[in-house]
Amino acid sequence: MTHKRLHLPPDMRVGLLGGSFDPAHEGHVHLTRVALRRFGLDRVIWLVSPGNPLKVRGPAALSARMARAQEIMRDPRVIVSDFEAQIGTSYTAETIDTLKAAYLGVRFVWLMGADNLHQFHRWQRWQDIVHAVPLGVLARPGWRQSGLHSRTAQQYRHMRLPDRASQVLADQIAPAWCFVNMPMMPVSSSELRANGAWQHNS
């Protein structure tokens, strides 16, 4: 599986934020900036997925979603990447395996909102992901309690770091996870598609 090399020196702390980004919006930007600060990250990679296996309807063309993401996320610490399309997968476990093998010494953290934590056990090889990299979970509108009471949160409750220790999450050996609150920004990709603000449908 070949891919364009990313500039990720060893010992760098790198957050991974995966998703369809259909479209990317200010909520993604907000979450990313909070993650950089709260988890002490050097970089965040937006992994713009070829598609989401858990969604029936396909997303807009990858080129359109990449262009939108690069337009809205203007921060030198953030890399917008089609890495999963390059290596030919839409599954997070395979993505993480490939990144860890290609960038030895980089301390990766998987980032997600509390809404994804709620249904994380439905992901392919979800337990492999938990044991591969620490998880940085950020509260999103309406999902805090359901995320914290999810199957993943309950099964790995003893591996949870207190939010005051969020800065050292990247230094932990997986399984480890940390749940932090952030100021709410109630915007979603589905709302933007529904109200016609995103017209690049496939």
Side-chain angles (χ1 to χ4, degrees):
M1 294 185 286
T2 60
H3 68 275
K4 299 174 187 173
R5 291 293 298 179
L6 301 168
H7 182 61
L8 301 175
D11 292 328
M12 182 171 275
R13 298 175 172 190
V14 179
L16 304 172
L17 183 64
S20 300
F21 294 96
D22 187 28
H25 52 69
E26 289 297 336
H28 295 124
V29 174
H30 176 58
L31 183 148
T32 299
R33 288 180 174 153
V34 171
L36 280 160
R37 183 178 73 254
R38 292 298 306 274
F39 298 126
L41 303 173
D42 302 304
R43 296 281 186 278
V44 168
I45 303 174
W46 279 16
L47 294 164
V48 184
S49 175
N52 184 337
L54 296 181
K55 293 182 179 179
V56 176
R57 181 181 175 278
L62 179 59
S63 58
R65 291 181 284 124
M66 284 285 295
R68 163 77 175 206
Q70 289 164 343
E71 177 184 348
I72 200 167
M73 186 68 257
R74 297 185 177 275
D75 188 313
R77 298 170 297 173
V78 181
I79 301 167
V80 176
S81 175
D82 60 354
F83 184 84
E84 291 186 320
Q86 293 177 42
I87 66 172
T89 188
S90 348
Y91 293 105
T92 297
E94 293 179 18
T95 301
I96 291 173
D97 287 345
T98 305
L99 283 167
K100 289 185 67 177
Y103 301 96
L104 299 177
V106 173
R107 288 172 281 179
F108 291 108
V109 173
W110 184 260
L111 302 173
M112 59 181 162
D115 54 333
N116 275 322
L117 181 63
H118 173 69
Q119 48 91 54
F120 190 67
H121 61 278
R122 295 176 57 202
W123 293 25
Q124 186 188 69
R125 292 177 52 204
W126 68 278
Q127 290 177 311
D128 289 344
I129 299 170
V130 175
H131 286 264
V133 292
L135 307 180
V137 185
L138 299 107
R140 291 190 61 190
W143 290 98
R144 175 178 167 79
Q145 291 304 317
S146 58
L148 287 175
H149 289 88
S150 66
R151 176 176 169 182
T152 305
Q154 292 299 307
Q155 184 166 330
Y156 292 95
R157 61 187 179 278
H158 300 302
M159 305 300 180
R160 180 184 174 188
L161 271 67
D163 59 359
R164 64 180 179 276
S166 62
Q167 290 281 325
V168 299
L169 177 64
D171 302 325
Q172 306 305 303
I173 297 173
W177 64 287
C178 186
F179 188 103
V180 300
N181 290 312
M182 68 178 186
M184 299 301 187
M185 182 174 285
V187 59
S188 71
S189 297
S190 57
E191 289 173 357
L192 292 173
R193 293 194 302 270
N195 66 22
W198 176 239
Q199 299 291 339
H200 295 273
N201 294 324
S202 57

